Amino acid sequence: MSRKKFLVIIILGIFPALMFLLSSFSDFKEDNERHLELLRNIGELKGRLEHLEMRVSYRKAEQFIEVLSIHNLTNNSSGESFLKMPSAFHYLPHLTNNINSTRVKLHSPVKPGGRPPATLVFGIPTVKREGQSYLIATLANLFSSAPAKDLLDCLFIVLIAETDEQLVESIDVHMKERFSKEMEQGILQVISPSEGYYPDWSTLKITLDDPIERVRWRTKQNLDYAFLMMYAQTQGTYYIQLEDDVLSLQDYVRRIKDYAFEMEKAKRSWFVAEFCQLGFIGKMFHSSDLTYMIQFFTMFHNDRPADWLIDPLFETRFCPVDQKKCRAVKKNLWLRYKPSLFQHVGTVSSLKGKVQKLKDKAFGKLPLFVPHTNPAARVTTVIKAYKKHTIESVYLGVNFFWGLSPQEGDIISFKFTKPVKLKSYLVRSGNPEHPSDLLYNATVEVSASFKNSINLSSVSDGFLVIGRFDELGVAKGDVPEEIEEVYEFRLSIHSESKNWVIISEVSLEPR
């Protein structure tokens, strides 16, 4: 028998076995996926049951307080005496000065019929920063980093922690313009406190030998966290604290839910699940445990920063006196997920004059530019590039462009070697490491041939304006069909920028 025939016989003999193994593996994979989905459903049901029990307990306590108050009023002369339980009004006595001090101003439209409790509730406080705002970029990133079906089981609560009505209204209008879809779906809620919620800042005690400005800043931060938690507690199963200047990894919602459900399946108790190592960012709690956090934040609002209060609360509630044993307990009940799912990206702090450059090293690296194949062109700009971060490098897809602060009248030009029939364009500024280095007041313009009738404005040198950069530093759109051939594509800058500029993506797609 020849060697070739022998190999054919062996292959024909092995082939059915291989097909059987592949079929069995496929069946096993499908069964395993169904099993995982079943475990997720069981975990979700257990979480919802726990949340329902917490809401029933919460309501029962409220009803009891109401009944006790009426009883005390109607039986005041009977000689009976009842204990007076402390409340937030004892720790924050200024709240009694204004009947509306605890009123929540709801700015987002309420979904008809309400919405069911979410599995994950994200609390995001936002305040005015000196010459900078990260909120819109943060929300856009959070909403784009998870599938729409996953987001429907989440609730993002933004607390505009300001009492200036004009400022609150301005932020609210901007949010409604940008995220109307998420508000209508019940995914995003926007709230703010009443003026009476905050104390007279001049009455605060100096603690930790901090300057009074810092004492005010961290005291207000504690009260903002408490406000958010009090509002969020009955809205979902788990509460995750975020800030308004963070970046998330892709698929973060599924990762968090799978991790939580895995803990439920293993019947593992925990107090904190940490998805970021920095400060209070990315800390997840059972909503039923927020009562302890709220009490601590209101009791010691003037004494310590929020992230310094979690450890004492944990040790008081769970730890034996022995510090070695306490560390062992903490290892079991304070969970750390890796890689970190959230990164702090803001540099301008809400505390005036403070520059915050801390990064979570466990977050890993994100792509700093996105490469594309573009039509051949001569690329030029008067904006001076930093080191090897030239405008040519981003157009060729080998690096990002990083240039010194753009000035009014500066132009970035892409002059095609041969005229191009363009279908669409995308130019993205900024990147994860430098989210503030954006193009803001800039337009997209083309020099082109076009049909007799075209409804576009033009500038003095005959270029047609086909788009502009949005508040996230992105210009994206289709080229109007009336435009036939494009000779030059350019970006025109109309005002001076305080920051440098990064262009991390350029995609010019021909028809």
Side-chain angles (χ1 to χ4, degrees):
M1 184 185 295
S2 71
R3 185 179 177 185
K4 187 179 286 186
K5 284 183 178 179
F6 178 75
L7 286 171
V8 168
I9 291 169
I10 292 295
I11 290 168
L12 289 174
I14 291 174
F15 185 73
L18 284 172
M19 291 302 294
F20 175 76
L21 285 172
L22 286 170
S23 175
S24 299
F25 177 75
S26 178
D27 291 342
F28 171 77
K29 188 177 178 184
E30 287 179 10
D31 288 343
N32 191 46
E33 286 174 354
R34 281 195 291 266
H35 180 64
L36 288 172
E37 186 61 30
L38 181 61
L39 289 176
R40 287 192 193 103
N41 291 338
I42 291 171
E44 188 170 341
L45 285 171
K46 286 177 71 178
R48 290 194 184 282
L49 179 61
E50 179 188 302
H51 176 70
L52 183 61
E53 289 172 348
M54 184 270 295
R55 291 189 72 169
V56 169
S57 173
Y58 198 87
R59 183 59 187 146
K60 189 177 178 181
E62 287 180 333
Q63 289 173 336
F64 181 78
I65 291 169
E66 290 172 7
V67 170
L68 190 62
S69 298
I70 295 168
H71 186 78
N72 284 341
L73 287 172
T74 56
N75 293 275
N76 204 23
S77 60
S78 64
E80 293 179 337
S81 179
F82 292 86
L83 295 175
K84 302 293 189 293
M85 303 295 289
S87 69
F89 294 105
H90 292 85
Y91 311 132
L92 305 171
H94 66 274
L95 294 178
T96 60
N97 296 332
N98 188 329
I99 195 66
N100 292 317
S101 59
T102 59
R103 185 167 67 92
V104 180
K105 297 178 181 178
L106 185 63
H107 298 277
S108 48
V110 179
K111 188 178 179 182
R115 59 155 292 165
T119 298
L120 303 181
V121 179
F122 296 87
I124 306 171
T126 187
V127 294
K128 183 182 179 182
R129 297 171 190 259
E130 199 69 33
Q132 187 61 266
S133 175
Y134 303 103
L135 177 63
I136 300 297
T138 292
L139 288 172
N141 170 259
L142 290 170
F143 294 147
S144 65
S145 297
K149 62 182 178 63
D150 288 352
L151 291 173
L152 290 173
D153 195 26
C154 299
L155 174 61
F156 297 82
I157 304 172
V158 174
L159 168 65
I160 306 175
E162 300 285 355
T163 55
D164 181 327
E165 290 187 7
Q166 285 188 330
L167 176 60
V168 172
E169 179 67 20
S170 170
I171 297 172
D172 178 42
V173 167
H174 201 181
M175 297 266 286
K176 285 174 179 170
E177 288 173 353
R178 188 66 178 77
F179 302 111
S180 58
K181 176 187 168 187
E182 288 78 10
M183 289 183 176
E184 288 167 6
Q185 290 176 324
I187 294 170
L188 174 64
Q189 288 186 11
V190 182
I191 62 173
S192 66
S194 73
E195 189 173 359
Y197 177 69
Y198 297 111
D200 179 349
W201 301 115
S202 66
T203 63
L204 297 180
K205 298 179 296 180
I206 299 294
T207 52
L208 303 178
D209 291 328
D210 276 344
I212 186 61
E213 292 80 12
R214 188 176 184 86
V215 174
R216 287 173 186 156
W217 172 72
R218 56 178 169 79
T219 297
K220 182 179 180 299
Q221 196 172 58
N222 284 337
L223 294 176
D224 292 343
Y225 288 143
F227 190 97
L228 253 175
M229 290 177 176
M230 283 188 277
Y231 179 77
Q233 187 170 28
T234 59
Q235 308 278 351
T237 308
Y238 304 103
Y239 176 83
I240 300 157
Q241 186 63 58
L242 292 181
E243 299 295 340
D244 65 353
D245 55 351
V246 299
L247 192 70
S248 61
L249 282 185
Q250 282 293 323
D251 219 13
Y252 68 96
V253 170
R254 183 192 58 78
R255 296 191 200 192
I256 293 172
K257 287 176 69 174
D258 282 357
Y259 188 67
F261 297 155
E262 188 68 29
M263 296 302 106
E264 295 291 347
K265 184 191 76 170
K267 297 182 179 179
R268 181 171 177 181
S269 298
W270 56 273
F271 178 61
V272 184
E274 188 175 271
F275 296 96
C276 177
Q277 296 181 3
L278 295 178
F280 205 24
I281 298 170
K283 305 298 183 285
M284 181 169 83
F285 307 90
H286 292 272
S287 291
S288 53
D289 280 335
L290 290 183
T291 303
Y292 300 99
M293 306 294 297
I294 294 163
Q295 291 282 4
F296 247 61
F297 287 164
T298 53
M299 285 171 67
F300 304 111
H301 63 282
N302 189 185
D303 302 301
R304 292 188 179 193
D307 49 330
W308 287 19
L309 288 172
I310 306 176
D311 272 312
L313 169 58
F314 182 92
E315 290 169 9
T316 303
R317 191 176 174 202
F318 299 108
C319 277
V321 176
D322 188 307
Q323 282 299 306
K324 190 175 180 181
K325 290 181 180 178
C326 181
R327 284 193 291 272
V329 170
K330 191 170 186 178
K331 191 175 180 181
N332 283 328
L333 299 181
W334 193 305
L335 309 179
R336 287 184 170 88
Y337 181 93
K338 288 187 178 180
S340 294
L341 299 182
F342 304 101
Q343 177 66 287
H344 177 260
V345 294
T347 53
V348 179
S349 172
S350 52
L351 175 60
K352 189 175 181 180
K354 182 185 177 186
V355 177
Q356 182 67 279
K357 293 186 177 181
L358 289 175
K359 299 291 179 187
D360 186 346
K361 293 179 181 178
F363 183 75
K365 285 278 187 180
L366 285 176
L368 300 182
F369 65 94
V370 180
H372 291 280
T373 301
N374 291 306
R378 181 170 173 264
V379 186
T380 58
T381 183
V382 296
I383 302 171
K384 187 176 179 182
Y386 175 67
K387 294 186 176 179
K388 295 180 181 180
H389 299 284
T390 62
I391 190 63
E392 293 89 349
S393 64
V394 69
Y395 191 72
L396 294 172
V398 296
N399 206 336
F400 60 91
F401 169 62
W402 200 2
L404 275 62
S405 303
Q407 304 296 308
E408 182 180 354
D410 285 353
I411 285 174
I412 300 172
S413 167
F414 308 91
K415 194 169 186 177
F416 300 119
T417 306
K418 294 180 180 178
V420 176
K421 293 182 177 180
L422 275 186
K423 177 185 176 183
S424 62
Y425 63 89
L426 167 64
V427 183
R428 190 183 308 276
S429 62
N431 68 20
E433 288 190 356
H434 301 277
S436 302
D437 289 357
L438 302 177
L439 274 177
Y440 291 107
N441 189 13
T443 51
V444 178
E445 302 166 359
V446 293
S447 170
S449 62
F450 53 89
K451 296 175 184 176
N452 292 333
S453 175
I454 187 166
N455 187 25
L456 288 172
S457 59
S458 61
V459 290
S460 57
D461 56 358
F463 275 74
L464 300 170
V465 179
I466 62 169
R468 62 177 53 252
F469 282 80
D470 62 20
E471 73 273 16
L472 299 178
V474 177
K476 181 180 181 181
D478 294 326
V479 176
E481 290 183 3
E482 294 85 355
I483 291 177
E484 295 177 331
E485 289 186 320
V486 178
Y487 310 116
E488 185 177 351
F489 179 95
R490 77 182 186 189
L491 312 175
S492 290
I493 295 153
H494 302 291
S495 60
E496 179 184 352
S497 175
K498 294 179 181 177
N499 299 333
W500 286 20
V501 63
I502 283 176
I503 295 181
S504 54
E505 185 175 5
V506 176
S507 173
L508 304 180
E509 185 181 354
R511 288 187 181 130

